[in-house]
Amino acid sequence: MLDRERSVAPTGYNRWLIPPAALAVHLSIGQVYAFSVFKNPLVDHFGTSLTPIGIIFSISIVMLGLSAAFGGRWMERNGPRKAMVLSAVCWSSGFFIGALGVATEQLWLVYLGYGFIGGIGLGIGYISPVSTLIKWFPDRPGLATGLAIMGFGGGALIASPLSRTLLETYADNPADAIVPTFLTLGSLYLVTILLGAFTVRVPPEGWRPEGYTPPEKQHNAMITSGNVTATESIKTPQFWLLWTVLFCNVTAGIGILEQASPMVQDFFADVSPAAAAGYVGLLSLCNMIGRFVWSSTSDVVGRKPIYMGYLGVGAVLYFLVASAGTSSIALFVLLTGVILSFYGGGFATVPAYLKDLFGTLEVGAIHGRLLTAWAAAGVAGPLIVNGLADFRAGQGATGPELYGLSLFIMVGVLTIGFVANLMIRPVAEKHYVAVGETAAAGTSERRRFASASTQETAASTRSSS
Amino acid sequence: MKDSGLDSSSARIALGLWVLVLVALAYGITNTFINVLDLFAG
């Protein structure tokens, strides 16, 4: 039932039935971005400060990066269905064990549940549909991964109001409603992800979209005609340059995202906390829309040029926020909204960029390893913005002065990413897996992907070049 | 692709999932816009 062989689609299966399976997973695990809704109730419940509660989120993000990095090859071997089921079990167990921890006043159980086990569900769930979608949409890989990864950005948009409603419904004091809210969310996400797991399908051997003929010859040198394994990929400069690109793009975006609410209130003194919450929601919306729109656009303009836009235009926008952001709230919202759309676009486009550079054979596993850049940026971005804001406050700075220096540093970070992207060249053929070698080492599935890769990767050439 | 694959139970569930995710997204986006109105009204 869960094996890859059992999830091969029948002939004629409509590929547009695959994205909702991916969205079901990503919309569920995207809840992690709405964890802040539980911060104050958890602080009240445990009678502690924000820092020990913040550790829950940090553990889950670190585990996301680690499980994506180390679980990628397992996922490639076992297929998306088994990975989605594992994600469903871990993610929902995270809520259930977390609820037990809250009910028994054991904060370590919340760390273990939502943080550690739930974080594994996040990482495996995040990478589980990506390579499958790329194989179903060889002609539009950016659109396919944008659709799926859009869900991770949209998950918080749904979870945030839903969690607030549940907290208000179950008890007068939100701190007393955490346990039933966790149990409800855990059950909801278990069912939703399992529905996705049940419906996901891998394409049959030799499948290609109707009316689609791969071009005979590659026209875009940035799209490989070979395949590189996950182990081999990290020996290439392209992997580490792309790691740097993702790290810089995420560091810049997460710096604003994590500090959005206090930042808008510091820039504009008359913005109320409720209005600031609206601003945070708007940024999440831009983050989500950017994932779909920019990633789809990359199918037309190419992966390298679109990252030049994310990083180059992003640097200019950061400079404008730092130098003219206080002039009007509409301008501030517009600039930061576009920056966050680039942040989301960077996440959603990177699987297609990896597929262009390394082929489809182990793109899911390579993607998992690249996501360690996310974990590192998740530490660096907030550290730069929060650390410098505290430092400037210590010097007596107030309002927008708190952020000026960190915003200019982000301009520099994005410039480094821009240069790293410029340096990315096609992967040398010496890193490719020989077809015979693949056949000897792998399963029939892997042989199939190796032989199909030329057709699939060539497919993108038509739209990308 | 003459056969759309809609005759299998998993295909019907997938169609149902499309509806579910679109409704969920509409719920999230509507709530966001309600809060955004506060931002510009303030």
Side-chain angles (χ1 to χ4, degrees):
Chain A
M1 173 72 183
L2 299 181
D3 290 339
R4 175 186 274 277
E5 290 72 23
R6 302 294 297 271
S7 60
V8 176
T11 306
Y13 197 79
N14 190 327
R15 63 176 174 168
W16 285 100
L17 297 175
I18 307 301
L23 277 166
V25 178
H26 272 238
L27 283 171
S28 298
I29 61 177
Q31 183 278 343
V32 71
Y33 273 156
F35 180 75
S36 60
V37 172
F38 293 104
K39 269 189 170 177
N40 286 335
L42 285 167
V43 166
D44 289 348
H45 183 84
F46 284 103
T48 185
S49 66
L50 274 172
T51 304
I53 300 303
I55 290 173
I56 302 168
F57 177 80
S58 300
I59 294 173
S60 65
I61 294 298
V62 168
M63 288 310 298
L64 185 160
L66 291 176
S67 58
F70 292 105
R73 293 198 78 175
W74 175 86
M75 190 275 296
E76 291 286 2
R77 280 198 305 274
N78 291 279
R81 181 171 292 169
K82 198 177 275 186
M84 286 182 185
V85 170
L86 176 65
S87 171
V89 170
C90 288
W91 186 227
S92 57
S93 298
F95 279 96
F96 299 148
I97 296 169
L100 182 66
V102 174
T104 57
E105 306 277 340
Q106 301 291 320
L107 185 55
W108 70 271
L109 268 178
V110 188
Y111 290 160
L112 174 70
Y114 189 95
F116 190 86
I117 298 172
I120 293 172
L122 285 178
I124 299 298
Y126 192 92
I127 59 172
S128 62
V130 170
S131 61
T132 301
L133 278 167
I134 287 176
K135 284 156 193 160
W136 273 110
F137 290 83
D139 48 340
R140 299 296 302 275
L143 176 142
T145 56
L147 257 178
I149 293 175
M150 174 184 86
F152 199 79
L157 287 182
I158 298 161
S160 184
L162 178 62
S163 303
R164 276 199 298 269
T165 304
L166 291 173
L167 288 171
E168 289 164 6
T169 304
Y170 283 130
D172 291 334
N173 180 4
D176 299 329
I178 300 170
V179 171
T181 301
F182 270 20
L183 293 176
T184 305
L185 290 177
S187 306
L188 191 66
Y189 292 140
L190 178 66
V191 172
T192 307
I193 300 177
L194 286 180
L195 283 174
F198 183 68
T199 55
V200 76
R201 291 277 190 275
V202 293
E205 190 170 348
W207 181 88
R208 67 175 65 157
E210 187 185 9
Y212 164 72
T213 309
E216 293 291 321
K217 194 179 173 188
Q218 298 287 356
H219 298 297
N220 186 342
M222 288 301 291
I223 300 175
T224 181
S225 58
N227 279 295
V228 180
T229 64
T231 307
E232 188 68 17
S233 70
I234 59 173
K235 298 175 187 167
T236 67
Q238 287 82 359
F239 177 89
W240 295 107
L241 287 168
L242 199 49
W243 194 98
T244 306
V245 165
L246 187 66
F247 173 80
C248 292
N249 196 48
V250 177
T251 298
I254 216 165
I256 281 191
L257 197 60
E258 198 264 348
Q259 194 69 3
S261 178
M263 188 185 280
V264 72
Q265 291 177 83
D266 285 328
F267 266 73
F268 303 96
D270 56 343
V271 170
S272 67
Y279 171 68
V280 175
L282 190 65
L283 290 188
S284 297
L285 190 62
C286 293
N287 177 9
M288 182 185 82
I289 292 170
R291 287 168 191 248
F292 179 65
V293 170
W294 296 128
S295 186
S296 303
T297 306
S298 77
D299 285 335
V300 179
V301 302
R303 254 51 90 171
K304 191 169 177 177
I306 201 125
Y307 272 92
M308 287 164 72
Y310 299 156
L311 298 156
V313 178
V316 172
L317 295 179
Y318 254 104
F319 181 82
L320 289 173
V321 172
S323 55
T326 54
S327 60
S328 128
I329 190 165
L331 179 67
F332 180 85
V333 170
L334 177 70
L335 293 173
T336 52
V338 177
I339 287 172
L340 259 292
S341 79
F342 289 164
Y343 167 81
F347 271 121
T349 315
V350 88
Y353 208 161
L354 288 170
K355 176 248 181 200
D356 287 357
L357 289 170
F358 299 107
T360 54
L361 181 67
E362 291 192 341
V363 66
I366 301 171
H367 183 217
R369 293 178 186 204
L370 196 79
L371 290 180
T372 51
W374 182 3
V379 176
L383 204 64
I384 292 170
V385 175
N386 296 339
L388 287 176
D390 288 344
F391 173 70
R392 295 286 291 141
Q395 291 180 324
T398 56
E401 296 169 348
L402 294 170
Y403 304 100
L405 184 56
S406 54
L407 290 172
F408 282 119
I409 286 176
M410 293 306 181
V411 174
V413 167
L414 286 168
T415 306
I416 292 170
F418 184 85
V419 173
N421 185 51
L422 271 184
M423 291 169 66
I424 294 177
R425 296 282 183 271
V427 175
E429 289 188 12
K430 66 177 181 181
H431 296 291
Y432 291 178
V433 176
V435 173
E437 187 182 326
T438 313
T443 62
S444 60
E445 275 293 312
R446 291 179 62 164
R447 283 199 299 275
R448 175 170 69 79
F449 290 142
S451 62
S453 69
T454 305
Q455 298 167 350
E456 289 185 355
T457 49
S460 315
T461 309
R462 191 177 52 171
S463 50
S464 299
S465 58
Chain B
M1 208 183 303
K2 289 173 185 171
D3 174 11
S4 66
L6 299 182
D7 53 343
S8 68
S9 59
S10 67
R12 284 195 293 274
I13 293 174
L15 280 176
L17 265 183
W18 258 128
V19 175
L20 180 69
V21 298
L22 290 176
V23 168
L25 280 171
Y27 165 78
I29 291 169
T30 304
N31 271 281
T32 300
F33 274 114
I34 290 170
N35 286 329
V36 169
L37 291 178
D38 283 340
L39 179 66
F40 290 102

